[in-house]
Amino acid sequence: MAEKNYFIDGKIEPVFIGEQIAGHSKKHSIGAHAIFLGQVRADELDGKKVEAIEYSAYEEMANKAISKIREDAFAKWPLTCLHIYHSKGVVKVGEISLFVFVSAGHRTESMEAMQQIVEDLKHNVSIWKKEIMEDASANWVE
Amino acid sequence: MHIKILFFGSIGALTGKNEMVLDGVSGTDDLKNHLFKTWPDLKNYTFRFAVNQELIEENRALKDGDVVAIMPPFAGG
């Protein structure tokens, strides 16, 4: 079976996020959605501002790692749904690059799970980011 | 014996390539020495190996067809 793909080319559109929320209205066992959005920040380095981040990944390995994060979360908390989307390629300052959507019966499990999932996404998935500065120079974030 | 090497993140920028094929490397320690000879600056980088998408901590013997990824610290999100 082909590995599920969690990557989206470029920014994650706010409209897409809204559609995902609307898509859960028929799942009546859900009482709480936790939503985490990662947005590209205009950090400053040596007097230069970040203009965008270019994400790259070892996609096959990253997709497997994200599937594992989902499985672990479902094993640990009583979740109804868990959707994860991560950008690849260039995402400009102010745009969304990570969308995690956790749905459960109650708030506590949705928020506890979210905390763990976002930590795992940051540390355990083969994704790299290069900050593209306003003068077009680059800075790898590690 | 062909070993496929994949370079990611800052290390891809250092080597100027995304992948290459090497012959005659017996294991990941041997590969590391080979890479240090080719790109001495690589000694200043923090990285880990994944062999066939599995992260490894210690030397791993390599066989024909293995894929080794050279990976700087992850930075998702």
Side-chain angles (χ1 to χ4, degrees), chain B residues 14-47:
Chain B
L14 171 74
T15 62
K17 52 181 85 194
N18 296 323
E19 58 176 81
M20 65 187 266
V21 173
L22 273 183
D23 286 315
V25 281
S26 60
T28 49
D29 281 355
D30 190 25
L31 170 63
K32 194 188 275 184
N33 289 331
H34 182 95
L35 295 172
F36 284 167
K37 265 185 215 156
T38 313
W39 294 284
D41 287 349
L42 192 57
K43 287 178 189 161
N44 304 320
Y45 285 64
T46 303
F47 62 89

Side-chain angles (χ1 to χ4, degrees), chain A residues 19-76:
Chain A
E19 286 167 356
Q20 294 296 307
I21 297 167
H24 286 71
S25 62
K26 294 214 169 75
K27 297 198 172 182
H28 295 168
S29 63
I30 295 173
H33 296 299
I35 291 175
F36 179 87
L37 302 173
Q39 174 167 304
V40 174
R41 186 176 54 232
D43 273 349
E44 224 176 286
L45 187 78
D46 302 330
K48 292 180 285 191
K49 270 199 182 133
V50 170
E51 209 164 74
I53 287 179
E54 185 177 356
Y55 292 93
S56 55
Y58 186 0
E59 282 187 52
E60 270 183 276
M61 193 172 162
N63 281 323
K64 282 183 191 160
I66 296 174
S67 287
K68 172 81 166 52
I69 290 170
R70 291 186 76 245
E71 283 163 25
D72 289 350
F74 275 112
K76 194 164 176 190

Side-chain angles (χ1 to χ4, degrees), chain A residues 56-134:
Chain A
S56 55
Y58 186 0
E59 282 187 52
E60 270 183 276
M61 193 172 162
N63 281 323
K64 282 183 191 160
I66 296 174
S67 287
K68 172 81 166 52
I69 290 170
R70 291 186 76 245
E71 283 163 25
D72 289 350
F74 275 112
K76 194 164 176 190
W77 291 279
L79 306 179
T80 312
C81 293
L82 167 50
H83 302 280
I84 298 170
Y85 301 92
H86 198 296
S87 292
K88 62 176 180 180
V90 176
V91 182
K92 291 183 199 149
V93 159
E95 294 177 342
I96 303 298
S97 59
L98 173 62
F99 171 29
V100 184
F101 189 2
V102 183
S103 307
H106 303 276
R107 67 186 183 282
T108 309
E109 52 260 36
S110 68
M111 289 192 284
E112 277 181 18
M114 178 63 83
Q115 180 79 34
Q116 184 66 53
I117 292 160
V118 175
E119 285 307 308
D120 288 348
L121 285 168
K122 293 218 165 241
H123 302 299
N124 300 340
V125 184
S126 50
I127 297 172
W128 297 276
K129 56 183 164 192
K130 182 170 76 174
E131 291 174 330
I132 302 168
M133 315 306 287
E134 55 194 345

